[in-house]
Amino acid sequence: QVQLHESGPGLVKPSGTLSLTCAVSGGSISSSNWWSWVRQPPGKGLEWVGEVNHGGSTNYNPSLKSRVTISVDKSKNQFSLKLTSVTAADTAVYYCARGALEGFLDYWGQGTLVIVSS
Amino acid sequence: DIQMTQSPATLSASVGDRVTITCRASQSISSWLAWYQQKPGKAPKLLIYKASSLESGVPSRFSGSGSGTEFTLTISSLQPDDFATYYCQQYDSYKTFGQGTKVEIK
């Protein structure tokens, strides 16, 4: 059973960089899957942030593309998210998820809340 | 960018009711559509993929249909555990979620 677990600071200052890591267990990040980040502002809907594959290829939400970097670390079986120049609008629960070969998201982490505040 | 529009935003229903949620895509996505259920404080759970394929372990009262730009999620007989928020998601071009439909107790 694949499991994903997000970790990282729960508080980030405005204009700073949000950095999160997703550790994958029960499966290899070097498989043919894509690995996604999805976020959810408090009380609002889901927003796809972007994805990476084991080779380091990425796809990003066009609305966030200028500020997002997603990378993979095969040696640690994990992938990471960096979001720069954050504002209060980036406050959200951030989920990592596995993309099945077809593209839907079949395994999700439990989510981690990141608050942007001074 | 492909936009996904769900309706209704909120749905009030009773246990045993048949419930239908609609999702429309701004352009054709063939059958590349998934449905998720989310309960408060929890991660979304995959219910349906490829518009009508039931994920393993999901009760058969859930079903999906549609192709192109119009899709539906149907719960044939609403159960107490089904009160939640439901999201559609296209994966034809990158990924986009609908805004969600909250199913609440009538």
Side-chain angles (χ1 to χ4, degrees):
Chain A
Q1 180 81 347
V2 175
Q3 293 185 324
L4 299 96
H5 186 263
E6 305 90 349
S7 61
L11 181 65
V12 180
K13 290 186 178 352
S15 78
T17 297
L18 180 158
S19 297
L20 296 174
T21 296
C22 180
V24 178
S25 60
S28 174
I29 205 159
S30 296
S31 62
S32 301
N33 303 90
W34 286 76
W35 305 89
S36 277
W37 288 97
V38 175
R39 70 180 185 176
Q40 184 171 39
K44 296 188 178 180
L46 301 167
E47 179 182 34
W48 180 72
V49 175
E51 62 186 357
V52 66
N53 71 3
H54 65 91
S57 296
T58 54
N59 293 307
Y60 298 133
N61 185 324
S63 69
L64 298 169
K65 188 174 183 177
S66 63
R67 299 192 293 129
V68 173
T69 301
I70 299 176
S71 58
V72 65
D73 186 337
K74 289 185 284 187
S75 67
K76 294 182 179 179
N77 215 41
Q78 65 186 32
F79 63 108
S80 299
L81 168 69
K82 289 189 187 303
L83 182 65
T84 61
S85 304
V86 297
T87 69
D90 295 308
T91 292
V93 174
Y94 284 78
Y95 296 98
C96 57
R98 189 185 83 163
L101 298 184
E102 197 173 280
F104 53 87
L105 302 173
D106 56 358
Y107 291 96
W108 294 67
Q110 84 284 357
T112 188
L113 174 63
V114 179
I115 296 172
V116 178
S117 176
S118 55
Chain B
D1 302 2
I2 299 176
Q3 308 301 318
M4 306 300 293
T5 304
Q6 280 183 242
S7 60
T10 305
L11 189 160
S12 297
S14 302
V15 172
D17 284 353
R18 181 182 182 88
V19 166
T20 299
I21 298 168
T22 298
C23 181
R24 290 186 174 88
S26 59
Q27 65 189 71
S28 177
I29 57 170
S30 185
S31 294
W32 305 122
L33 184 100
W35 289 97
Y36 302 86
Q37 176 194 67
Q38 187 181 33
K39 295 182 179 179
K42 299 294 187 182
K45 172 188 174 184
L46 177 68
L47 300 175
I48 302 280
Y49 60 93
K50 206 172 182 181
S52 61
S53 296
L54 193 67
E55 172 71 346
S56 176
V58 174
S60 59
R61 63 181 180 272
F62 291 93
S63 64
S65 65
S67 66
T69 61
E70 296 266 341
F71 302 87
T72 58
L73 172 70
T74 299
I75 308 172
S76 60
S77 178
L78 198 65
Q79 298 302 300
D81 191 48
D82 301 337
F83 291 98
T85 300
Y86 294 84
Y87 293 92
C88 63
Q89 178 231 325
Q90 68 81 18
Y91 49 97
D92 178 70
S93 175
Y94 299 147
K95 295 170 176 55
T96 315
F97 290 92
Q99 75 273 30
T101 295
K102 182 177 182 179
V103 177
E104 60 180 26
I105 300 173
K106 190 173 184 178

